Amino acid sequence: MSTLQEIFSPDGAFARAIDGYRIRPQQVEMAERIAEAIKNNAVFIAEAGTGTGKTFAYLVPALKSNGKVIVSTGTKTLQDQLFNKDLPTVRDILKAPVKIALLKGRANYVCPYHLQRSLADGRFLTREDAADARRISVFAKTTQSGDKAECVEVNENSPVWQHVTSTRDNCLGQECPDYKECFVMQARKEAMAADLVVVNHHLFFADVMLRDEGMAELLPACNTVIFDEAHQLPEVATLFFGDSVSTAQFLDLARDARTEALTHARDCLDLPVASKALEKAAKDLRLAVGIDAGRFSAGQLLEKPEFAPALQGLLEEIARFAAILETQAERAEGLEKCWQRAGELVQRLSQWQQPADAGYVYWGEAFTHSLQLNATPLDVANIFRKQMGGHPRAWIFTSATLAVQGKFHHYCAELGLGDPDSACWHSPFDYGEQAVLYAPLGMPDPNAWNYTESVVDAAWPAVKAAGGGAFFLCTSLRAMRRTHELLKAKLEDEGIDMPLLVQGEGSKNDLLQRFRHHGAAILVGSQSFWEGVDVRGEALSLVVIDKIPFAPPDDPVLSARIEEMKKQGRNAFMEYQLPRAVINVKQGAGRLIRDEADKGVLMICDPRLISKPYGRRVWQSLPPMKRTRELQVVLDFFANR
């Protein structure tokens, strides 16, 4: 019997340590395949359905591998859970003498230099912000890690955090007077010394692979990289293999330069005037796009009459500002850093203004107060494959949703993985008994003006039969807001006292806590609730998906990719849009059944699931639930559960 089989056996280490431990053949097989891939420095892709126990299946061989391992997760929440709970549990059970470390992006750590400077400047305008700043100051004196997740007294979304943490732009590095107290450097040193480091995908691409020279040694020293929630990688890779510049960076630079000048260059009277002019030029560029937030191709932006002059105006102001900063740069490290930042902004803005690379799509995204200009690669496969080259190591990709109808072609093509070893383990849950897939009859075309009304009307009897415990997963914010309005009206009309929660009313964690606590509520959400949500028991027994989540075809990156695939004679819909939508549906469906005792209904309202030939690819990729088009079957299911 292999040692892995002993560890996972009915009388093995896990069974002795964990109450109610149950052996799962899928978990043992997965652990063995991952151990083999680590040993052979191979690429391995593993889809493991909910309840397989995939976290322990990769942690056990990782901790037994005797090499340096990086585990990268989809979210900081999962990162914290791995580091604080799962890893210590497995390490203790295995009695493995392995040193572990947690590493996040620099925006997660208090910066002593920026904290002190912000407090001294009296930068906080509201009483609440000033109180948060004082709380962070107390936290900074007592914390070992400086990780803002541990500062529970201050909301993670407090605007104060951006003033008391550093960015890649404004970090002074080794020139910083507080370098010895730097929490970011401390976390990096611990990561360098550890056998297993937990990062997240954003950090992996931004720091480890691409941009930050301070981390250049981490990847070469590692023998194994494990990506959990690996379905998110193509999206994150696209973000980081591209380039972007935001009007917010110009505003930050102007503010930081003014602050530095107050201390070190009071006699330079040109600098405050030029910083105000730079701020105005950055705000004018945002205003040139119009008041609405949204995504625009470079062509759409250039059609706006005020855009090109505003872009040229900002370029001239930043060049002028850089020239003034150059005359003051020798007076202090902070001023020199500002001069370097100004030079980088000149370069990035010039590159966007005069696109040189045909393999990139140029576009902009307008937010409420800022405009971000992006250059995004049309294809990340070649870049990612190149990053995987060099030093031989194992690359493990795992998630509950990577395959389309059991095949990984789409995923491998997106990341340039070739045809590696792969495996699919289905969930051990009895979906035929535990769940029903319901596609209601008589739904209108998803583009019909009254489609959201039809979704709520069709779902309402199921919501009442379930007694709440319902998630409405919407494919757009507009549909989410309308769904919330309609449900509110129905609850009021029928005098039903059932809590109705909607995304945006609080943080995601806060909403989920309230939803779980009540046990019979309705929660309406969009993209961020489709994945990473774990609600067990009757608190969630109905998941309603309004439409198959195809990305909007007018998205500038998607439309450029579709155009490129058409030029190559390929079918963009079948090769790219549909597989992505299938993976998203699988994510949404995965919210329903979280353990052996759960029972529930997955309601997909989109009539294309049945009426279009491609609908079969969607429902055949879902777990083997009982399927129905009859409302009565759903009502009976809830009555008998």
Side-chain angles (χ1 to χ4, degrees):
M1 197 190 280
S2 80
T3 47
L4 281 174
Q5 287 203 336
E6 284 170 2
I7 289 163
F8 288 110
S9 71
D11 54 357
F14 276 97
R16 289 194 299 274
I18 299 172
D19 286 342
Y21 174 77
R22 205 175 283 136
I23 187 163
R24 300 167 190 156
Q26 301 98 319
Q27 188 181 44
V28 185
E29 281 175 35
M30 183 176 168
E32 288 179 328
R33 294 286 291 276
I34 288 173
E36 191 183 330
I38 291 174
K39 187 174 128 195
N40 297 328
N41 289 326
V43 177
F44 180 57
I45 304 178
E47 177 172 290
T50 312
T52 309
K54 71 178 164 66
T55 306
F56 285 6
Y58 68 69
L59 284 182
V60 172
L63 288 171
K64 286 174 64 63
S65 68
N66 297 321
K68 190 171 179 94
V69 180
I70 294 175
V71 176
S72 182
T73 70
T75 60
K76 284 183 285 193
T77 309
L78 185 56
Q79 206 184 344
D80 286 332
Q81 184 188 314
L82 263 175
F83 181 74
N84 296 317
K85 187 179 163 205
D86 298 336
L87 256 171
T89 300
V90 177
R91 184 174 64 173
D92 291 350
I93 288 171
L94 297 180
K95 297 184 172 55
V98 171
K99 190 173 181 191
I100 62 175
L102 176 69
L103 186 60
K104 298 180 181 178
R106 64 168 77 242
N108 293 280
Y109 299 97
V110 175
C111 168
Y113 175 75
H114 286 289
L115 172 63
Q116 288 313 316
R117 210 175 64 158
S118 298
L119 290 168
D121 292 349
R123 186 171 284 177
F124 307 110
L125 301 175
T126 70
R127 189 175 292 174
E128 198 176 318
D129 284 359
D132 277 352
R134 285 194 297 275
R135 289 184 194 108
I136 293 169
S137 181
V138 171
F139 167 73
K141 291 185 179 79
T142 55
T143 175
Q144 294 294 304
S145 69
D147 184 346
K148 73 177 192 183
E150 293 173 15
C151 184
V152 288
E153 297 85 11
V154 179
N155 189 307
E156 63 179 315
N157 300 319
S158 167
V160 175
W161 284 116
Q162 66 187 24
H163 297 295
V164 301
T165 53
S166 68
T167 64
R168 191 171 282 107
D169 287 338
N170 68 20
C171 172
L172 299 180
Q174 293 183 356
E175 308 298 322
C176 179
D178 296 298
Y179 186 71
K180 285 182 179 158
E181 286 78 50
C182 177
F183 291 115
V184 174
M185 293 319 298
Q186 181 184 307
R188 290 178 170 183
K189 275 184 198 146
E190 285 171 13
M192 292 305 302
D195 304 299
L196 189 149
V197 187
V198 183
V199 301
N200 58 57
H201 301 338
H202 281 78
L203 179 68
F204 185 86
F205 286 103
D207 271 8
V208 181
M209 269 181 153
L210 295 176
R211 308 253 171 96
D212 208 315
E213 288 142 27
M215 286 304 290
E217 316 92 274
L218 189 56
L219 190 67
C222 120
N223 309 91
T224 302
V225 179
I226 299 173
F227 292 110
D228 197 347
E229 303 287 288
H231 61 279
Q232 296 176 5
L233 285 184
E235 199 67 41
V236 181
T238 299
L239 185 70
F240 282 102
F241 291 143
D243 211 344
S244 67
V245 60
S246 167
T247 55
Q249 290 171 281
F250 293 83
L251 297 175
D252 287 346
L253 173 62
R255 186 194 66 205
D256 290 347
R258 266 202 310 275
T259 306
E260 289 292 342
L262 275 173
T263 313
H264 303 290
R266 275 180 181 274
D267 55 343
C268 179
L269 303 180
D270 291 346
L271 210 150
V273 178
S275 75
K276 293 286 185 194
L278 180 63
E279 284 180 335
K280 183 180 183 306
K283 288 173 181 172
D284 286 348
L285 182 61
R286 168 61 189 92
L287 291 171
V289 179
I291 56 168
D292 291 337
R295 293 177 159 206
F296 307 90
S297 67
Q300 288 171 318
L301 287 172
L302 291 165
E303 279 169 14
K304 295 176 185 288
E306 293 170 21
F307 181 78
L311 184 65
Q312 184 58 34
L314 181 56
L315 196 52
E316 287 167 10
E317 286 300 342
I318 187 65
R320 196 173 298 134
F321 196 58
I324 295 170
L325 283 168
E326 186 177 9
T327 66
Q328 306 298 313
E330 286 184 2
R331 298 176 78 167
E333 292 91 351
L335 284 167
E336 186 176 358
K337 187 70 183 175
C338 287
W339 170 51
Q340 289 167 358
R341 285 162 66 184
E344 283 173 23
L345 289 174
V346 169
Q347 192 184 351
R348 283 189 189 175
L349 206 56
S350 304
Q351 281 174 343
W352 198 92
Q353 192 188 33
Q354 297 170 323
D357 198 324
Y360 283 71
V361 53
Y362 291 82
W363 59 287
E365 184 162 14
F367 301 95
T368 311
H369 299 296
S370 65
L371 173 70
Q372 184 166 308
L373 300 175
N374 306 290
T376 301
L378 285 167
D379 179 15
V380 297
N382 290 334
I383 313 173
F384 190 77
R385 190 165 51 240
K386 204 183 290 175
Q387 297 288 354
M388 286 174 65
H391 179 79
R393 63 175 64 87
W395 296 84
I396 314 293
F397 301 82
T398 182
S399 168
T401 55
L402 291 174
V404 177
Q405 287 180 292
K407 297 198 167 51
F408 296 97
H409 303 331
H410 164 73
Y411 188 75
C412 291
E414 277 207 280
L415 289 180
L417 302 178
D419 186 19
D421 195 15
S422 62
C424 222
W425 285 280
H426 297 300
S427 167
F429 302 151
D430 185 352
Y431 279 95
E433 280 297 313
Q434 289 179 251
V436 173
L437 171 60
Y438 172 40
L441 290 159
M443 291 298 293
D445 183 272
N447 295 318
W449 65 271
N450 62 339
Y451 184 74
T452 303
E453 283 79 351
S454 302
V455 168
V456 173
D457 286 343
W460 185 241
V463 172
K464 288 198 290 186
F471 258 12
F472 280 76
L473 298 178
C474 304
T475 46
S476 71
L477 290 170
R478 184 184 295 162
M480 179 191 87
R481 287 190 281 267
R482 185 69 183 130
T483 300
H484 179 249
E485 272 174 33
L486 294 163
L487 286 167
K488 192 176 177 189
K490 285 199 180 287
L491 289 167
E492 284 169 4
D493 289 349
E494 300 192 23
I496 296 173
D497 182 20
M498 192 182 283
L500 177 61
L501 310 171
V502 64
Q503 179 182 321
E505 278 181 343
S507 73
K508 181 176 172 182
N509 286 345
D510 173 49
L511 282 174
L512 286 171
Q513 226 159 346
R514 283 157 60 196
F515 183 80
R516 280 190 199 100
H517 175 71
H518 192 276
I522 304 171
L523 194 153
V524 187
S526 72
Q527 201 58 51
S528 63
F529 282 88
W530 283 67
E531 58 179 279
V533 170
D534 189 359
V535 179
R536 292 163 194 248
E538 286 193 13
L540 178 56
S541 49
L542 173 66
V543 171
V544 181
I545 292 177
D546 65 343
K547 296 180 186 179
I548 298 171
F550 291 110
D554 58 352
D555 179 272
V557 178
L558 179 64
S559 55
R561 281 185 173 155
I562 290 170
E563 200 55 45
E564 186 64 21
M565 290 176 90
K566 279 180 182 167
K567 277 186 205 160
Q568 296 168 8
R570 293 161 64 193
N571 184 330
F573 180 77
M574 294 306 281
E575 284 185 48
Y576 186 74
Q577 291 163 276
L578 181 61
R580 280 203 155 193
V582 169
I583 285 170
N584 285 337
V585 171
K586 286 172 73 174
Q587 276 294 332
R591 299 315 101 219
L592 184 64
I593 303 296
R594 305 300 299 173
D595 68 26
E596 286 92 345
D598 278 1
K599 287 199 153 200
V601 171
L602 171 65
M603 180 175 178
I604 302 181
C605 300
D606 195 325
R608 294 173 295 185
L609 192 71
I610 308 298
S611 64
K612 299 286 185 188
Y614 63 74
R616 175 180 291 269
R617 284 183 72 177
V618 179
W619 59 257
Q620 284 189 340
S621 293
L622 294 171
M625 307 175 186
K626 180 180 177 182
R627 294 193 294 273
T628 187
R629 305 211 64 197
E630 302 293 333
L631 174 61
Q632 194 56 49
V633 173
V634 172
L635 302 181
D636 291 345
F637 177 84
F638 282 125
N640 298 324
R641 69 179 161 166

